[in-house]
Amino acid sequence: FPFPYTPYRIQEQFMEALYGALEAGRVGIFESPTGTGKSLSLICGALAWLRDWEEKRRQEEEQLLALGAGGQDGLNPQQARPGSADTAGQPDWVTAFVQRKEERDMVDRLKEEQIRRKKREDRLEKIRQNVQLKYAAKRKRCEDDEAKRLLQLSKEALSQGAGEDALDQLDHNEEELILAEYESDDEKKVVSGLEEDDDDDLEEEHVTKIYYCSRTHSQLSQFVHEVQKSPFGKDTRLVSLGSRQNLCVNEEVRRLGALQLINDRCMEMQKNKHEKKSNEENEGKKRRVSRTVCPFYSFEQMQFLRDEVLVEVKDIEQLVSLGRDTKACPYYGSRFAIPAAQLVVLPYQMLLHEPTRKAAGIKLKDQVVIIDEAHNLIDTITCIHSAEVSGSQLCCAHSQLSQYMERYRKRLKAKNLMYIKQILYLLEQFVAMLGGNVNQNPGSQAVSQTGTVLKSINDFLFQSQIDNINLFKVQRYCEKSLISRKLFGFVERYGGSASALKTNKENQKVAGLQDFLLTLQQGSDKEGDPPVEAEHDQLRTASPLMQIEGFLSALTNANQDGRVILNKQGTVGQSSLKFLLLNPAVHFAKVVEECRAVIIAGGTMQPVADFREQLLCCAGVDPARIVEFSCGHVIPPENILPIILCSGPSNQQLEFTYQTRDLPQMMDETGRILCNLCNVIPGGVVCFFPSYEYEKQVYGHWEKTGLLSRLAARKKIFQEPKKANQVEQVLVEYAKCIKRCSQTGGQMTGALLLSVVGGKMSEGINFSDDLGRCVIMVGMPYPNIKSPELQEKMTWLDKTMPRAGGQAPSRVLIENLCMKAVNQSIGRAIRHQKDFASILLLDHRYARPAIFNKLPQWIRERTQVKPAFGSAFAELRKVRIPCI
């Protein structure tokens, strides 16, 4: 395998197993601990397979073409085969003729593909070699900008000549007018261009490719940088996909902030571009801001961007700056590059959510999918396909839609009115299910019986009396008619200042809507912004029908695959309806069916039983197709010391159950353990608690008993903040303190960070080297078993899954969720080959075989179980040696 340096043995094993899985078309679960070069192994293993596979295909094609070039004689022997009349009783010569025709068609198709491929390769090579092309494109853009500027000047001159009124009229929308005319001119040019030469047709054949997806954009960028550094960096056609929020370069649209608003405005602008504008519509444009077209949505420039993307590997940031330079839309330009790309890098949601996948033009048939950072894949699929709407959103949507229908009743066709009335009825019934009345302010309607109720989809439909409405048709209507977008435009236009309205009659119609929207948001943030601004912001975010469409779509799932949760709080506005997906496999099945091979990879995939049973087997994957690979770590065995501690310094048994963990003696014992450790362990110590509440409780107890001041004498204490935007600051301070202590020496030896399992610090943050010389896990972070959602999931599993090893599936789920969280947290400590750390699990239950076997293999192999604190402490003192 080509590799930028001599690979570790485990990297070679990883690449061999990966190559084998792709070649055999398997579904693989691959585990490679962080710090072992997983990304590079994935890149080099997968791209080496793709290169070999392309070569093999090319040779087969050449053989077929050579056979075809040999004329009929080359294909004739088939004809003379005796007894080859087929099952339909056709004579030999008919069968032979059909076969020859199929072969000829195939040869023709291959020739076409070759020509297309040759043209593409030539085009990309020309761009690589010929810098002048780039300058030509740049010069053309400058000319276009100049023409636009001149056009604007002439408009201004005209408007000055037309007197004050005309100038006022143009003032607000002048920019839009100019852009629209300029773009329409451009459109004609593009059409004629296509007639002259169809070479640049954007609909290319999809080549075999690898779709690589990860959770966040920063992880994807990191992966792209690894590709750039790899031996494949120069000649791989890679395209990065992202949301409009990440890729849009139109500042006017970016300013909208919320993803849904950005999506809607972008679609609206495209629609304006593609519509044939009649004179009446052109007049209408003076009144409506949304008639704007996007200057970056230029066919010609996006083709240029597509080729630039394919020529050289670029990450999202480079793609966006290229889009700005070329005045081309990176969002659509990158999509046009998908068919010809060999490696497509994209976030989870784009691949796992079928409507998004289709919209992006992603075709999975016979392709390879690699899902990285997949330890929480099941949760991700569940979240993507679950939906929640609040009572205030339902009432708000009903109010908006009623006002909309009232205002445009005379202009709406009968079918539109029918569907709007159906949606209004649905909203009424949903609010009634929460115990409210849709026509009253949801904030002031008290709910009589608070609590959480779970219902099957069918029960919910029957009880809300909407089982006679075809939700599939309503859903399709919402998609095709873009009603939520129209409604948002209506609210944006008439929900603002009353001066936007022409007559008193209209004023009355929408005054109610304004008042209503303001009452919904009252008390949320009364300080800071001037009232007008605040009101405007409320209206911008008031687009609840979009959220409700997601909920309606969720209700079309099969009855057994999900549940509806009625969460009744103090008022109707605070109450909510939530759809909970119980069976994520139904949405993953299509990915596994269509793809040639699927690889699910991560640093800590243990316990893998969840993936195998809940996701793959439920999705109909043949167990023989599943392959598992797990490798050790690259660090020497002596660089890690995992200890399961069963009792503390005063021989108090460590068992942090819900019943015992609040006892003062348990909290005291935890404090004593930390005091002892902080005396001997240099640098940073990270201590994970099961929840924020428990961490707060223990901290308060230590403060009272004076234990905290003893700890603070050796290590500066930091607490993980609940707010995500404060995490970075805490980490920076924590790192600075450790560095300062290591340089100055003295009594203070570093810092202690009190963190929370499942919080911001337990995933995606590295405590390498001195930042994490010891990681401590206090107790076992079992999920809240009283949660209605979890109880429903457990009941569903017990009904649908077989018992494994004598344990109920629900019990296995609870243990797996706990151990997944533990493995994520303790994996933070070792991040590279020369790193070293100790890991301390404070609870005797970790030593139980069922739990112990769910630790990652590389940690499990080196774990020591210590019944008493003395022997554990003696071992921990030795860990200091490598850093001397």
Side-chain angles (χ1 to χ4, degrees), residues 378-379 382 580-582 584 606-607 609-611 613-615 781-785 787-798 800-804 807-821 850-851 854:
I378 294 174
D379 294 343
T382 304
L580 173 71
L581 180 72
L582 292 174
Q606 288 291 340
D610 280 6
F611 297 103
E613 282 140 30
Q614 279 187 52
L615 204 55
Y782 281 112
N784 178 11
I785 211 157
S787 141
E789 283 106 321
L790 187 57
Q791 285 183 340
E792 195 60 33
K793 178 89 178 181
M794 288 161 70
T795 309
W796 180 80
L797 281 173
D798 284 342
T800 54
M801 296 280 182
R803 288 176 75 85
Q807 271 193 309
S810 55
R811 179 72 206 155
V812 175
L813 170 77
I814 295 297
E815 281 182 3
N816 287 354
L817 287 171
C818 168
M819 291 311 291
K820 265 195 170 60
I851 303 288
K854 286 174 181 169

Side-chain angles (χ1 to χ4, degrees), residues 497-517:
S497 58
S499 60
L501 304 174
K502 302 280 179 257
T503 66
N504 284 334
K505 193 175 175 190
E506 285 172 351
N507 226 333
Q508 289 155 9
K509 277 184 189 173
V510 293
L513 170 62
Q514 276 175 254
D515 297 343
F516 183 77
L517 289 175

Side-chain angles (χ1 to χ4, degrees), residues 27-29 377-378 585 588 600 605-629 801-802 804 812 816 820 854:
V27 175
I29 302 172
L377 181 61
I378 294 174
F588 196 60
I600 302 168
M605 299 296 284
Q606 288 291 340
V608 291
D610 280 6
F611 297 103
R612 210 177 35 245
E613 282 140 30
Q614 279 187 52
L615 204 55
L616 302 178
C617 293
C618 279
V621 179
D622 179 358
R625 194 184 166 199
I626 301 169
V627 57
E628 285 177 31
F629 174 86
M801 296 280 182
V812 175
N816 287 354
K820 265 195 170 60
K854 286 174 181 169

Side-chain angles (χ1 to χ4, degrees), residues 402-417:
S402 309
Q403 314 260 2
Y404 178 85
M405 185 177 77
E406 200 51 50
R407 175 163 177 75
Y408 300 118
R409 186 182 283 277
K410 290 178 184 145
R411 302 279 306 277
L412 292 169
K413 298 272 191 296
K415 206 149 212 184
N416 273 322
L417 277 172

